[in-house]
Amino acid sequence: MSSFESQRPAASMRFTDGSRQAKFMRHEEKQENLARFCGYYLDRLSVIDAPMPIERSVTLLARSPQSPVARAVLDARTELAGLGISMRVLFAVLEPAEALVSWLDFAEVSAGSALIEIRWARRAALLDAHEQLVLGTGLSWAGDCMRREPEKRDAYEQFDTFDAAAAERATASFGGFWTMSERINARRASRTGVLSPAGAETVQGMLSGNANAPIVATRH
């Protein structure tokens, strides 16, 4: 078992190079298997002498910061920051507030080691898309439609391991959603003590007028 994967509980899935696994996943098992997928990526990246920037990039499209995929990625934040991973994170729903604050705190504390951009896909039509995660150039995952709450529903999920074409398709799809989203003003939202996306004024205060501007965390 790999070094990063060994730090996590045993899961029901095992990943091998050049494979595709499409399975019906119980909602109780989603986060654990996604954590193992992240560990699989981190372990292989850690043995590359000089990985290219594209290999040290992650994109995440999730229904909310409470989604199992978002929780799995956030749980790996120490390892991600340690390897200098750049991340673009897009949420369709910004609640629950506590879970979003954890992401904003991650962006703040990792400013010296990783570039974190977080945006809100506020258009309701984007909820028809599927959750997705792309790790580097060859690992990708697709989940259920974002209109459904993944932490409460079982669903078919697809894991592609070292399939560059699948990762490229997912990245292209993510790019389309990214351009239609609005960035979150992390400085304004973080540590306010009142971060409830249910309040329109609070959400508006978290958004920047420039959707193409980078989020608070930057390399120094």
Side-chain angles (χ1 to χ4, degrees):
M1 183 178 292
S2 67
S3 58
F4 286 113
E5 290 177 306
S6 64
Q7 300 173 21
R8 310 187 187 280
S12 59
M13 293 187 70
R14 295 291 184 272
F15 302 103
T16 57
D17 292 3
S19 68
R20 166 172 289 182
Q21 298 186 65
K23 293 187 176 182
F24 186 74
M25 198 72 63
R26 296 180 59 188
H27 65 277
E28 300 94 343
E29 301 171 346
K30 291 183 178 183
Q31 183 177 347
E32 190 173 358
N33 284 307
L34 284 159
R36 182 167 291 273
F37 198 50
C38 291
Y40 186 83
Y41 162 67
L42 289 164
D43 187 73
R44 279 145 188 78
L45 185 66
S46 67
V47 299
I48 301 176
D49 290 335
M52 298 178 63
I54 194 172
E55 296 173 308
R56 293 186 291 108
S57 65
V58 169
T59 61
L60 168 64
L61 175 60
R63 184 182 189 276
S64 80
Q66 186 66 18
S67 293
V69 64
R71 298 200 307 268
V73 174
L74 188 64
D75 282 349
R77 57 188 177 275
T78 300
E79 297 100 318
L80 290 165
L83 291 176
I85 306 297
S86 65
M87 298 179 60
R88 290 185 294 165
V89 179
L90 184 55
F91 295 125
V93 178
L94 295 182
E95 54 190 356
E98 294 80 5
L100 180 59
V101 167
S102 296
W103 275 98
L104 297 176
D105 285 345
F106 175 36
E108 183 178 354
V109 302
S110 64
S113 58
L115 176 64
I116 311 295
E117 296 183 64
I118 305 175
R119 291 189 181 182
W120 179 27
R122 64 182 303 178
R123 299 189 183 188
L126 296 183
L127 287 170
D128 290 326
H130 288 245
E131 291 191 311
Q132 67 173 46
L133 173 67
V134 179
L135 304 166
T137 58
L139 303 181
S140 59
W141 164 88
D144 199 8
C145 174
M146 289 193 292
R147 289 195 181 275
R148 304 182 180 97
E149 296 179 88
E151 67 272 21
K152 299 179 181 179
R153 295 177 58 95
D154 304 338
Y156 276 98
E157 301 186 357
Q158 180 172 295
F159 295 82
D160 284 295
T161 309
F162 287 103
D163 184 334
E168 287 176 4
R169 288 193 298 270
T171 299
S173 173
F174 179 89
F177 296 129
W178 187 255
T179 60
M180 294 186 289
S181 63
E182 298 186 45
R183 83 179 186 96
I184 298 174
N185 189 324
R187 276 203 176 98
R188 191 174 303 170
S190 183
R191 307 184 187 284
T192 61
V194 182
L195 186 57
S196 174
E201 292 182 2
T202 303
V203 172
Q204 197 62 36
M206 290 161 52
L207 300 175
S208 167
N210 181 3
N212 295 316
I215 205 69
V216 60
T218 56
R219 283 193 176 88
H220 298 286

